[in-house]
Amino acid sequence: MKRVLCFLFAAVSIGALSAGLARAETGSRAAPVKSGPAIALGSAWYPEQWPEAVWEKDLALMEAAGMNMVRVGEFAWSSLEPEEGRFTLDWLERAIDAAAKHHLVVVLGTPTDAPPAWLTSKYPETLRVDETGRRMQHGSRRQFSYTSAKYRELCRTIVEQLAQRFGHDANVIGWQIGNEYTEDSFDAESIRLFHAWLKEKYGSIEQLNRQWVTAYWSQTYDTWEQIPMSTGRGNPGLMLDYKRFVTDQWRSFQKNQLDVIRRHADRRQFVTTNLGGLGWANRFNRREIAADLDLISWDNYVGSGHIEPYRNGATHDLVRGWRRQNFWVMEIQPGFVDWAGVSNSLDKGETRALVWSAIGHGADGIAFWQWRSALNGQEQYHGAIVGPDGKPLPLYGEVKQLSGDLAKVAQLLSGTKSESEVALLHDYDSRWAIDFNRFSNRYDQLAVLVDYYHALRDRTQSVDIVDPLSPLEGYKLVVAPSLNVVSEATARHLVRYVEQGGHLVLGPRSGMKNEFNALNVQRQPGPLVSALGARVEQFYALLDDAPVSGAWGDGKATVWAEYFSELEPGVLVPLRYGKCNGWLDGQPAAVTRKLGKGTITYLGAALDPALMARIAEQWVRDAGVPDHTLPAPAGVEVCRRVGADRELYVLINHASKSVRVELPEEMQDVLQGGPTRAVELDGRGVGVISRPTRK
Ligand code: GAL
């Protein structure tokens, strides 16, 4: 298989690949190292659905649209192994060869999200069982049980065939394992594994009973087998452990295939999976899944409505934060989907804005889902780039424009990344613990997170979202709304950060629970009470707003209010409640103190947006966060990617009216060419400007 690779965009190693390449030195075969395009732009393509005669036309149109990659194979099991042990991979090789002729590199999906009919009829024990006990049947996808040993064995077999055949293929730049891991299973094998998992974790049933406090409602267990596996309103300790179990199962499901690929494939080929669920999904801990991969990718859909720039941008930042590295968007919405309440189209230009926003936040690869409308199957209405007749749909022109713009920027973007001195903490344990019992259906922790993000991003134009246990020393300011579960280890990590000069702000509901989802006996924020020098005396779900005022300004507490007591000397109260429910009247709504070289602060209320904005400004100033912002009118999202020599600002006008962005100094206009003091942006328009990097 001799192919000369030639990419439209310069072929340089993407940041995410470099870690993989570094490890490639040992043990890899002597294959020529070829890496992907600086910025990959492509689409999901399903050659197995079409006669080979039409492939050429599809690929020629992709090339003419300026694309440089395709993703293939992720649902093609029945075409790759039509009966057990009979493998038909030649067509895939021809498809990969045909793509290469059109200068399209390939990401190869393993087909394990859609088992073939022979498999499910021969091995019905591999079928997933839902929580009501109903076993799935064939005819859709994701009908397999992720724990099934037999299913995993069959996955290994097909993946090994693929890896042996394409693991050295010069045109295959990477692998995608499965597709959007989603459904857990309640079959007997999964339940057995859950019990074994608990036994491994707790060692003795007495220990489990103690940590889950099972004396409550006589839940005390005598044997592991008595423990239920359900997701209803169960014991909070059990529920948290179940999520961790699900995470471990998906991780080992993935590792089963990862090991096979790594055994046979060149290390220059990255391994990823496309994480789904609109970014915020929390069926399992996606950061842990990402930990084993070379490259993180996720699927960016808008669904009904239009881009919500803060929420969408925060999602990219969350994904980037799992490994603090650039990522790919392996599926992006081509105008519209087919599954939303109203599957409206994004406006003309909005898909382009969606792509640029991903790139601004750190994406180095973008693939549309999908290239061509499938003639039949469950997703016939879904947006695509060419229609069932193989002719361009209206979006095709936008893709072409996009690729033209990207070609101008790709070289400059290569090796650049987002930088931030402000981090928000996102923690799956806390997400789960609050969701199991929100206490108030008005407390939407994602909305709270995005409120904080909004206020901080307006001040800094760059916010990382990271796990509480990740290295924090690079951040001047770390903000943790809803950090509900705080273990002793997390508390030590956070206190060390503060003592060494960091500024930590805890938000509502912090530190209520320990790692077993039991209440912390110190009250909130649990093991951080002594560092804070105060504790939450009581929390209240608010029906009506409560007034707050103090050194931070005046405004309203909404949705949630906690007040503090037992203040040690040196603890300041920058915000107090005014007259409201009697309990809160005059009480501290926030406390702050110096600790070591830094400060620790706790804001006990969700606040109205105006006050939140003012306070965020103060936090940023007090923490000494350097200003890298580029002033821009409201509605224009500004993203900065920094390289060794140049920094790039991506400006995205999310509004439908045109605007002018005056620059503070002369900068290079990368898309229009030449130096400029201002950028004109059409409605939904995008600009990219650059200047030498300032540190
Ligand atoms: C994704 C999935 C794709 C396709 C798409 C439609 O979640 O990975 O295979 O179904 O949704 O929007």
Side-chain angles (χ1 to χ4, degrees):
M1 239 181 272
K2 281 201 199 103
R3 293 194 190 101
V4 180
L5 288 188
C6 147
F7 304 119
L8 176 64
F9 310 148
V12 275
S13 158
I14 59 170
L17 288 180
S18 35
L21 289 175
R23 286 194 301 272
E25 309 307 329
T26 50
S28 82
R29 320 231 162 108
V33 172
K34 300 238 173 61
S35 47
I39 301 292
L41 179 71
S43 169
W45 177 50
Y46 299 101
E48 69 275 22
Q49 293 176 18
W50 301 93
E52 292 194 23
V54 309
W55 292 1
E56 179 57 30
K57 286 190 194 130
D58 273 336
L59 295 166
L61 272 176
M62 286 183 205
E63 188 177 16
M67 290 183 166
N68 56 15
M69 63 85 58
V70 274
R71 186 191 67 174
V72 296
E74 82 277 9
F75 299 120
W77 199 336
S78 66
S79 306
L80 294 166
E81 191 182 0
E83 58 188 278
E84 187 171 8
R86 185 164 72 80
F87 300 99
T88 49
L89 276 53
D90 291 353
W91 68 266
L92 183 54
E93 185 167 330
R94 288 195 296 279
I96 293 171
D97 284 345
K101 282 195 204 107
H102 289 279
H103 310 123
L104 298 153
V105 294
V106 170
V107 174
L108 199 52
T110 72
T112 55
D113 202 38
W118 62 257
L119 189 157
T120 46
S121 38
K122 191 163 173 193
Y123 304 107
E125 74 274 21
T126 64
L127 286 166
R128 181 167 68 80
V129 171
D130 74 11
E131 207 173 340
T132 66
R134 192 170 59 103
R135 199 172 271 281
M136 299 297 113
Q137 48 177 337
H138 202 80
S140 189
R141 60 178 171 184
R142 298 177 184 159
Q143 67 268 35
F144 62 90
S145 166
Y146 69 151
T147 63
S148 163
K150 186 69 199 173
Y151 191 66
R152 290 183 181 196
E153 180 196 318
L154 293 158
C155 290
R156 251 189 334 267
T157 307
I158 181 66
V159 172
E160 180 149 54
Q161 290 289 323
L162 290 167
Q164 281 172 342
R165 183 79 167 254
F166 302 109
H168 309 293
D169 190 305
N171 204 43
V172 174
I173 60 161
W175 295 82
Q176 173 189 302
I177 296 181
N179 187 79
E180 294 192 347
Y181 311 143
T182 309
E183 303 285 353
D184 40 341
S185 180
F186 295 81
D187 60 292
E189 194 170 354
S190 297
I191 295 170
R192 249 193 331 273
L193 284 167
F194 181 50
H195 292 151
W197 186 95
L198 289 170
K199 192 169 175 195
E200 168 83 22
K201 172 166 180 173
Y202 289 100
S204 73
I205 198 86
E206 294 74 28
Q207 176 68 358
L208 176 143
N209 281 322
R210 194 169 318 120
Q211 301 296 4
W212 291 4
V213 194
T214 51
Y216 181 85
W217 284 356
S218 277
Q219 286 166 9
T220 311
Y221 299 107
D222 312 307
T223 68
W224 303 100
E225 292 69 35
Q226 291 168 341
I227 300 171
M229 192 173 91
S230 69
T231 59
R233 193 173 169 192
N235 177 291
L238 184 155
M239 292 175 74
L240 199 53
D241 275 335
Y242 179 66
K243 287 291 194 187
R244 293 165 175 153
F245 165 76
V246 172
T247 301
D248 282 356
Q249 289 306 316
W250 277 120
R251 200 167 174 179
S252 64
F253 176 87
Q254 174 173 272
K255 191 158 187 314
N256 179 52
Q257 298 187 38
L258 189 61
D259 288 348
V260 178
I261 296 172
R262 291 216 167 121
R263 193 156 57 245
H264 295 289
D266 298 335
R267 289 309 302 257
R268 72 177 165 79
Q269 295 180 336
F270 63 76
V271 186
T272 188
T273 193
N274 58 329
L275 289 156
L278 302 182
W280 295 105
N282 66 351
R283 281 167 174 263
F284 50 86
N285 182 329
R286 296 180 310 148
R287 190 182 60 82
E288 288 192 17
I289 299 294
D292 296 330
L293 300 168
D294 301 313
L295 169 70
I296 299 172
S297 62
W298 78 286
D299 297 344
N300 187 186
Y301 290 95
V302 173
S304 251
H306 294 275
I307 304 174
E308 293 177 43
Y310 289 95
R311 199 177 173 106
N312 199 63
T315 318
H316 290 305
D317 295 342
L318 170 83
V319 171
R320 194 184 65 235
W322 291 332
R323 292 274 294 272
R324 298 214 219 180
Q325 67 182 28
N326 290 4
F327 57 94
W328 277 31
V329 173
M330 196 58 92
E331 293 182 12
I332 207 161
Q333 176 167 326
F336 53 89
V337 298
D338 70 334
W339 43 257
V342 176
S343 296
N344 65 286
S345 177
L346 298 178
D347 290 349
K348 196 168 183 189
E350 198 176 355
T351 302
R352 176 172 172 249
L354 187 67
V355 170
W356 273 107
S357 178
I359 289 173
H361 284 265
D364 283 340
I366 306 280
F368 289 95
W369 197 93
Q370 61 179 336
W371 169 251
R372 183 169 177 157
S373 315
L375 294 184
N376 219 324
Q378 277 88 328
E379 299 175 306
Q380 290 166 305
Y381 282 99
H382 202 285
I385 298 163
V386 304
D389 55 353
K391 303 255 167 56
L393 288 166
L395 192 69
Y396 185 87
E398 201 164 310
V399 174
K400 208 164 172 174
Q401 182 193 10
L402 193 56
S403 71
D405 290 345
L406 284 173
K408 296 180 192 157
V409 183
Q411 280 283 18
L412 290 172
L413 280 175
S414 165
T416 64
K417 57 185 178 53
S418 305
E419 273 186 4
S420 182
E421 271 107 337
V422 176
L424 274 168
L425 301 186
H426 172 273
D427 170 49
Y428 281 97
D429 281 355
S430 298
R431 282 272 303 279
W432 294 323
I434 291 178
D435 281 353
F436 295 152
N437 187 354
R438 283 168 70 170
F439 189 73
S440 164
N441 58 16
R442 301 182 71 213
Y443 194 93
D444 173 349
Q445 56 178 320
L446 280 185
V448 173
L449 184 88
V450 175
D451 283 352
Y452 275 70
Y453 177 86
H454 190 140
L456 290 165
R457 198 170 196 285
D458 279 352
R459 301 270 65 80
T460 60
Q461 291 174 351
S462 178
V463 175
D464 281 356
I465 302 184
V466 298
D467 182 77
L469 282 174
S470 57
L472 298 175
E473 56 280 356
Y475 299 111
K476 299 257 187 244
L477 175 64
V478 169
V479 182
S482 316
L483 187 62
N484 200 240
V485 173
V486 176
S487 66
E488 294 284 346
T490 304
R492 275 196 302 278
H493 183 67
L494 294 177
V495 168
R496 205 173 311 121
Y497 163 72
V498 172
E499 284 174 345
Q500 288 169 0
H503 299 276
L504 172 69
V505 179
L506 301 166
R509 302 184 80 155
S510 288
M512 187 173 205
K513 305 284 194 71
N514 70 11
E515 67 270 38
F516 301 101
N517 211 2
L519 293 174
N520 276 322
V521 289
Q522 309 93 325
R523 306 221 192 140
Q524 293 171 250
L528 288 167
V529 162
S530 61
L532 183 68
R535 68 172 200 191
V536 171
E537 187 60 27
Q538 187 55 271
F539 55 85
Y540 299 92
L542 298 184
L543 275 174
D544 302 311
D545 293 347
V548 285
S549 61
W552 281 353
D554 298 348
K556 290 188 204 106
T558 62
V559 177
W560 195 266
E562 293 163 353
Y563 81 85
F564 300 88
S565 67
E566 315 246 316
L567 275 53
E568 286 182 15
V571 174
L572 305 176
V573 179
L575 210 59
R576 279 183 193 276
Y577 298 102
K579 199 157 175 39
C580 47
N581 69 355
W583 302 109
L584 288 163
D585 299 6
Q587 297 289 357
V591 289
T592 183
R593 84 182 318 196
K594 290 200 172 109
L595 185 69
K597 295 184 192 148
T599 60
I600 178 166
T601 302
Y602 190 144
L603 167 59
L607 299 175
D608 70 87
L611 182 56
M612 194 68 224
R614 209 169 326 135
I615 294 177
E617 184 170 359
Q618 174 142 3
W619 290 341
V620 167
R621 203 175 40 238
D622 290 353
V625 177
D627 187 2
H628 297 291
T629 59
L630 194 83
V636 175
E637 185 181 13
V638 181
C639 304
R640 175 168 162 263
R641 284 183 57 158
V642 186
D645 310 320
R646 304 206 67 74
E647 53 189 20
L648 276 86
Y649 287 88
V650 179
L651 312 177
I652 305 148
N653 180 15
H654 287 290
S656 47
K657 279 205 191 119
S658 49
V659 288
R660 182 180 167 87
V661 183
E662 303 285 349
L663 303 178
E665 66 193 76
E666 190 174 272
M667 294 170 80
Q668 287 299 314
D669 188 324
V670 185
L671 297 186
Q672 304 301 324
T676 187
R677 287 298 310 254
V679 183
E680 306 283 350
L681 299 173
D682 294 338
R684 310 278 186 205
V686 173
V688 182
I689 49 176
S690 83
R691 68 177 172 199
T693 298
R694 295 176 183 170
K695 285 286 169 183

